[in-house]
């Protein structure tokens, strides 16, 4: 007997799974279409908004935000130059596309993730259910998220948004939960002792106290979305990631380097500017 | 007492953990807290606590760490719910309040001050103080006005817009106090409010609290593990041990009559001179002379009692003065009235004064101090009686 061979093999009918998913897609066609349209609308609106703004306004805005958050005009100018560099090498349009997918995904992640985070912060039971799901989501390879998105929504930006949202939603949920749970229990008790209703305690005390942590979650979500959007170019999401993918496929090193640098610059900008929120709030704690 | 209690605690027990039934059985058979914990895993935080708190008094609860003090006061605003028993605020049973009633009870009747202040760091001083009014939907202007009033009362005017992080510990607790007072509650719960402060600041705050209490006359339930703080602030003091209340008494009664060795040991470290009144140490003057008596009579009295001073009272026992033996002899020789020869060295003190108050007077007194109540002579204190009382207790 060959000790290197499995004694027997089970043949899994992978096509059956494909079929099941496709059947699902057909059955829920209406729902999926609605989601698709909705997401498309969101994406287009974001992109239109970004396109309307002249490039120099955006650059100046970045300079201003950079200055406001660090207090140093020099840092602001450096941030502005980084954005300017992306535009001057002819990647402005692609950058805007990438940015709009990121913004749409982050908006969706926060919109869904924040309430989920609040829910599991107030209910240990819900927390017990959601935690393992989040753990699994974080250990799964990035590509796995692309498959169901493609199967249900085909190729393009819409499935990219879906995959990105699912991938990037974890940190906002986790950190909202953590932030709320970490609020000094005496402070929460004080809120109760003075006759706050549950929602008053949440709105007036718990969320504001947890704000820096929640914002750290938004920052992480943003960074994960940025990473995912680049990966999502494999399912046809246009933008900077696509440019990188093409250059890799064609072994065009120069083009790859330029577009790759643009991705990095954009990522750094998003990271720095969004970290500002966390710090600003932290100071008066 | 005749007054109606503001808070009435009846057979209150609080157990933490599962398997209450077995624990209760053991407790009914007289098992101790640690035995119950070992056998059943149940923590007995409170067991069969009974007492009443009256309007306007400062009721201090004292005990070692883990004795159940916090658990007890947290039952008063239902941050904890008793496992059994009942707590009444006036005529309302706290444990029976609906969620809605509970919220308005907390808003209107009872407020709390926390050991680590429990302030909201994202709000500045005034909006912390406003918090209780804000959740009650009091209008902005009124809220601000009341908050400022309280901030002024606790001596923080000028810093109302400062962020919490910029305040010292003492100032933070003043904010905590102002926040609690802003709601105009009838009852104030204070869970070791001054424990986190250094000794000098603590002293200031105790003084502040007493003067505010004198102004507002709240019912205060105050937790501490510092016996001197308890005796200084408390009209009555309850000592807790392992979830039970062992003794409730005025500081003075507790010192003169501790319920058991545990209490005796507990109050050992107390500065008794600040608690015991001179009433406790005064002795009956052996030589009292009426105003109508003559100098001769006074001399005879003093000589026969072997003392060198006599206390002169009128027929209503009202204190008129002190006559020394020398003064009496002079009065006799000059045939004058004894009232012309009263001594200038006489020192009087009120019966309510503490031994601590009497000490410095006694140190400089040539003759025993006269103790008066409504100007009537009640007794005298000698240096010897002061010292022997302090040594005894
Ligand atoms: N939520 C809880 N769960 C379990 N056990 C508790 C809980 N709260 C208090 N206990 C236990 O109940 C007992 C009384 O605690 P409590 O906090 O009332 O004591 P305390 O007298 O206030 O002590 P300290 O001086 O340390 O504040 C302790 O043994 C404590 O461990
Ligand atoms: Mg305590």
């Amino acid at each position: 007997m060959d000790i290197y061979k499995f004694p027997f093999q089970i043949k899994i009918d992978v096509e059956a799974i494909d079929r099941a998913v496709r059947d699902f897609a057909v059955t829920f066609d209406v729902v999926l279409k609605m989601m698709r349209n909705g997401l498309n609308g969101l994406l287009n609106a974001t992109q239109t908004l970004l396109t309307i703004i002249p490039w120099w306004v955006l650059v100046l805005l970045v300079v201003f935000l950079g200055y406001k958050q660090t207090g140093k005009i020099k840092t602001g100018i450096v941030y502005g130059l980084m954005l300017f560099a992306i535009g001057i090498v002819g990647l402005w349009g692609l950058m805007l596309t990438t940015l709009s997918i990121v913004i749409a995904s982050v908006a969706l992640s926060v919109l869904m993730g924040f309430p989920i985070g609040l829910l599991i912060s107030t209910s240990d039971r819900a927390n017990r259910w959601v935690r393992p799901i989040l753990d699994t989501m974080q250990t799964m390879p990035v590509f796995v998220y692309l498959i169901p998105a493609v199967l249900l929504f085909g190729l393009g930006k819409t499935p990219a948004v879906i995959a990105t949202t699912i991938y990037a939603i974890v940190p906002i949920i986790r950190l909202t939960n953590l932030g709320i749970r970490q609020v000094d229990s005496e402070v929460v008790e004080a809120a109760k002792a003075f006759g706050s209703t549950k929602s008053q305690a949440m709105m007036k005390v718990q969320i504001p106290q947890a704000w820096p942590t929640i914002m750290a979650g938004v920052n992480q979500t943003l960074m994960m979305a940025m990473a995912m959007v680049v990966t999502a170019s494999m399912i046809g999401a246009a933008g900077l990631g696509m440019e990188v993918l093409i250059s890799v496929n064609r072994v065009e090193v120069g083009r790859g380097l330029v577009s790759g640098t643009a991705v990095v610059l954009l990522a750094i900008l998003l990271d720095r500017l969004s970290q500002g929120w966390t710090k600003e709030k932290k100071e008066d704690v | 007492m005749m007054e109606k209690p503001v808070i009435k605690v009846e057979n209150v027990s609080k157990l933490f953990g599962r398997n209450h039934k077995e624990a209760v059985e053991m407790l009914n058979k007289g098992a101790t807290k640690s035995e119950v914990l070992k056998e059943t895993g149940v923590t007995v935080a409170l067991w069969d606590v009974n007492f009443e708190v009256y309007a306007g008094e400062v009721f201090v609860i004292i005990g070692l760490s883990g004795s159940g003090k916090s658990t007890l006061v947290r039952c008063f605003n239902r941050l904890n719910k008793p496992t059994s028993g009942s707590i009444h605020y006036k005529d309302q049973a706290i444990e029976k309040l609906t969620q809605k009633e509970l919220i308005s009870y907390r808003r209107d009747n009872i407020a709390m001050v926390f050991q680590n202040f429990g302030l909201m760091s994202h709000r500045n001083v005034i909006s912390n103080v406003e918090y209780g009014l804000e959740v009650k939907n009091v209008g902005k202007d009124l809220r601000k006005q009341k908050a400022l009033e309280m901030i002024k009362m606790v001596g923080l005017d000028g810093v109302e817009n400062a962020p919490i992080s910029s305040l010292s510990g003492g100032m933070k607790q003043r904010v905590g106090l102002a926040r609690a007072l802003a709601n105009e509650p009838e009852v104030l719960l204070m869970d070791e409010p001054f424990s986190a402060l250094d000794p000098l600041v603590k002293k200031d705050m105790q003084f502040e609290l007493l003067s505010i209490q004198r102004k507002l006359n709240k019912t205060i339930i105050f937790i501490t593990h510092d016996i001197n703080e308890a005796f200084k602030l408390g009209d009555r003091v309850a000592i807790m041990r392992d979830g039970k209340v062992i003794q409730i008494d005025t500081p003075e009664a507790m010192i003169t009559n501790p319920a058991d060795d545990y209490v005796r040991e507990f109050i050992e470290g107390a500065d008794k001179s600040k608690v015991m009144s001179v009433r406790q140490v005064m002795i009956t003057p052996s030589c009292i002379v009426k105003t109508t008596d003559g100098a001769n009579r006074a001399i005879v009295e003093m000589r026969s009692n072997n003392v060198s001073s006599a206390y002169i009272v009128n027929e209503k026992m009202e204190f008129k003065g002190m006559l020394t033996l020398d003064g009496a002899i002079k009065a006799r020789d000059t045939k004058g009235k004894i009232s012309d020869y009263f001594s200038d060295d006489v020192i009087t003190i009120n019966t309510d004064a503490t031994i601590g108050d009497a000490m410095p007077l006694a140190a400089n007194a040539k003759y025993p101090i006269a103790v008066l109540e409504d100007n009537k002579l009640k007794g005298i204190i000698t240096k010897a009686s002061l010292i022997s009382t302090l040594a005894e207790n």
Side-chain angles (χ1 to χ4, degrees):
Chain A
M1 220 176 120
D2 188 343
I3 59 167
Y4 294 104
K5 262 196 179 149
F6 282 94
F8 59 88
Q9 286 197 327
I10 297 172
K11 184 110 182 92
I12 290 179
D13 189 2
V14 280
E15 280 167 23
I17 300 173
D18 297 350
R19 252 179 277 125
V21 175
R22 230 169 279 137
D23 286 348
F24 176 83
V26 172
T27 326
F28 291 96
D29 191 41
V30 190
V31 181
L32 293 176
K33 265 220 182 88
M34 266 166 55
M35 282 174 70
R36 201 192 170 91
N37 290 340
L39 287 175
N40 258 330
L42 178 67
L43 263 174
N44 289 338
T46 323
Q47 185 149 18
T48 313
L49 197 74
L50 285 174
T51 331
I52 289 174
I53 305 172
W55 65 267
W56 49 271
V57 173
L58 219 53
V59 171
L60 284 179
L61 186 71
V62 166
V63 173
F64 173 71
L65 288 177
Y67 166 66
K68 215 181 150 227
Q69 274 154 22
T70 58
K72 287 181 225 147
I73 188 71
K74 229 162 116 188
T75 321
I77 291 174
V78 171
Y79 290 174
L81 282 177
M82 284 161 77
L83 192 61
F84 180 77
I86 298 174
I88 207 72
V89 296
L91 295 175
W92 190 258
L94 292 179
M95 187 272 293
L96 287 186
T97 308
T98 299
L99 194 57
S100 60
I101 301 178
V102 169
I103 291 176
S105 312
V106 169
L108 283 177
S109 293
V110 172
L111 227 58
M112 295 189 295
F114 180 62
I116 296 176
L118 287 188
L119 175 76
I120 64 174
S121 75
T122 47
S123 153
D124 284 333
R125 227 174 114 137
N127 193 26
R128 269 202 301 281
W129 280 95
V130 174
R131 277 287 280 282
I133 300 176
L134 295 182
D135 290 341
T136 319
M137 281 171 80
Q138 269 193 324
T139 46
M140 279 221 276
V142 195
F143 302 107
V144 174
Y145 293 102
L146 298 176
I147 301 163
V150 171
L151 281 175
L152 296 178
F153 295 96
L155 297 174
K157 285 193 273 182
T158 315
V161 170
I162 300 234
T164 307
T165 303
I166 297 174
Y167 179 67
I169 202 170
V170 181
I172 181 68
I173 297 179
R174 269 195 199 286
L175 285 163
T176 301
N177 178 33
L178 181 74
I180 298 286
R181 281 175 187 271
Q182 268 180 348
V183 176
D184 183 353
S185 63
E186 208 179 58
V187 176
V188 180
E189 241 160 35
K192 273 197 222 162
F194 283 99
S196 313
T197 60
K198 279 211 174 89
S199 62
Q200 279 175 330
M202 189 52 98
M203 299 302 294
K204 289 175 189 286
V205 178
Q206 288 168 285
I207 292 177
Q209 289 274 310
W211 196 248
T213 312
I214 295 171
M215 280 301 130
V218 174
N219 171 266
Q220 280 188 26
T221 289
L222 185 63
M223 294 329 289
M224 284 180 75
M226 183 67 207
M228 187 64 183
V229 166
V230 174
T231 313
S233 59
M234 294 198 322
I235 55 168
L240 291 175
M242 184 70 98
E243 189 70 6
V244 176
L245 189 69
I246 293 170
S247 3
V248 170
N249 286 344
R250 297 191 191 157
V251 205
E252 294 179 38
V253 180
R255 191 176 171 189
L257 207 62
V258 173
S259 48
T261 309
V263 169
V264 172
L265 288 181
L266 183 61
I268 292 176
L269 275 180
L270 290 178
D271 183 36
R272 287 301 145 87
L273 292 180
S274 64
Q275 263 179 18
W277 310 328
T278 7
K279 279 194 198 121
E280 204 174 20
K281 280 284 170 188
K282 250 180 197 152
E283 246 148 50
D284 45 48
V285 165
Chain B
M1 277 196 215
M2 300 296 288
E3 322 159 48
K4 255 186 134 187
V6 176
I7 284 190
K8 190 171 179 186
V9 182
E10 289 170 297
N11 309 105
V12 165
S13 297
K14 174 75 181 175
L15 310 180
F16 287 108
R18 282 171 211 164
N19 209 355
H20 286 181
K21 216 171 145 193
E22 203 180 324
V24 169
E25 266 168 36
M26 285 184 69
L27 285 162
N28 280 332
K29 282 184 199 144
T32 66
K33 177 174 169 165
S34 53
E35 283 167 358
V36 173
L37 182 63
K38 215 171 175 187
E39 285 278 311
T40 65
V42 172
T43 304
V44 185
L46 296 174
W47 182 248
D48 198 21
V49 174
N50 290 282
F51 62 85
E52 293 173 351
V53 181
Y54 301 99
E57 78 172 326
V58 180
F59 187 88
V60 175
I61 301 170
I62 189 165
L64 297 178
S65 186
S67 57
K69 309 180 294 290
S70 297
T71 308
L72 180 57
V73 289
R74 290 158 54 88
C75 288
F76 294 165
N77 62 356
R78 225 171 85 182
L79 286 175
N80 277 341
K81 217 170 176 180
T83 309
S84 63
S86 157
I87 296 175
H88 276 80
Y89 169 79
K90 297 191 174 162
D91 295 325
Q92 282 174 315
I94 301 303
E95 66 279 359
K96 292 205 182 104
L97 297 178
T98 62
Q99 193 61 31
K100 220 172 149 188
E101 288 168 336
L102 176 63
I103 283 175
S104 64
Y105 165 64
R106 286 170 172 173
R107 286 176 180 175
D108 299 330
N109 303 122
I110 196 160
M112 195 161 186
V113 177
F114 295 82
Q115 178 170 5
N116 296 304
F117 322 126
L119 298 176
M120 295 140 191
S121 53
H122 62 285
R123 293 166 160 250
N124 63 12
V125 169
I126 188 163
S127 70
N128 261 284
V129 176
E130 278 178 18
Y131 186 83
L133 299 167
E134 186 181 321
V135 295
K136 221 161 107 173
N137 297 321
V138 173
K140 243 187 184 153
D141 292 337
L142 183 58
R143 179 162 109 198
K144 192 170 171 191
Q145 180 202 327
K146 274 196 178 169
L148 281 174
E149 205 177 294
M150 293 307 152
I151 288 172
K152 205 164 175 190
M153 178 173 298
V154 299
L156 282 182
D157 26 350
V159 299
E160 56 266 15
N161 292 315
I164 296 301
S165 58
S166 71
L167 305 181
S168 68
M171 287 163 102
K172 281 182 185 163
Q173 197 55 297
R174 282 167 200 263
V175 178
L177 190 55
R179 175 176 66 177
L181 292 171
N183 272 29
E184 293 175 12
E186 172 131 13
V187 178
L188 207 54
L189 305 176
M190 307 184 81
D191 190 350
E192 302 201 29
F194 305 150
S195 296
L197 307 176
D198 60 53
L200 281 179
V201 180
K202 187 169 173 173
K203 228 171 160 181
D204 272 357
M205 292 299 291
Q206 291 167 347
F207 179 78
E208 191 83 45
L209 182 66
L210 284 176
S211 66
I212 286 173
Q213 166 66 359
R214 225 160 283 139
K215 253 182 262 173
L216 302 180
N217 204 28
K218 302 281 178 201
T219 306
I220 298 178
I221 297 168
F222 189 104
I223 296 184
T224 179
H225 54 242
D226 172 352
I227 189 75
N228 282 316
E229 186 170 55
F231 284 171
K232 182 169 181 182
L233 299 177
D235 293 317
R236 287 191 302 151
V237 176
I239 289 202
M240 290 191 69
R241 180 193 193 181
D242 291 349
K244 289 181 210 161
V245 173
I246 310 183
Q247 184 174 6
I248 301 177
D249 252 321
T250 62
E252 211 175 328
M254 198 167 267
I255 284 179
T256 44
N257 208 353
D260 60 13
D261 286 346
Y262 183 80
V263 176
R264 194 168 294 129
E265 213 169 292
F266 207 101
I267 60 182
E268 190 132 83
D271 183 353
K272 277 132 202 157
S273 68
K274 296 233 171 76
V275 174
M276 292 177 73
S277 69
V278 293
R279 204 192 306 260
Q280 229 87 41
V281 291
M282 67 188 183
I283 50 180
T284 329
S286 45
C287 185
I288 296 179
V289 175
K290 293 261 168 61
T291 36
T292 48
D293 294 337
N296 272 322
R297 179 71 200 276
I299 294 167
V300 171
E301 283 283 328
M302 280 188 253
R303 290 226 165 109
S304 67
N305 283 301
N306 208 14
V307 292
S308 59
S309 59
Y311 295 82
I312 318 297
V313 296
N314 64 10
E315 61 288 351
K316 288 185 200 144
M317 272 305 272
E318 277 166 356
F319 181 68
K320 287 296 165 192
M322 187 192 72
L323 191 65
T324 61
L325 188 54
D326 290 346
I329 292 169
K330 267 186 206 148
R332 183 192 59 188
D333 295 350
T334 58
K335 300 212 162 33
K337 278 199 287 185
I338 53 170
S339 58
D340 294 334
Y341 293 90
F342 283 168
S343 169
D344 294 331
D345 290 328
V346 66
I347 298 174
T348 62
I349 197 167
N350 203 282
T351 41
D352 289 337
T354 64
I355 295 179
D357 300 329
M359 285 297 225
L361 299 178
N364 297 320
K366 285 195 197 136
Y367 302 97
I369 299 173
V371 182
L372 310 184
E373 188 178 273
D374 296 335
N375 212 28
K376 290 195 174 102
L377 182 66
K378 289 289 165 180
I380 58 169
I381 10 179
T382 63
K383 269 179 231 181
S385 66
L386 267 181
I387 289 162
S388 70
T389 315
L390 283 178
E392 253 169 51
N393 282 285

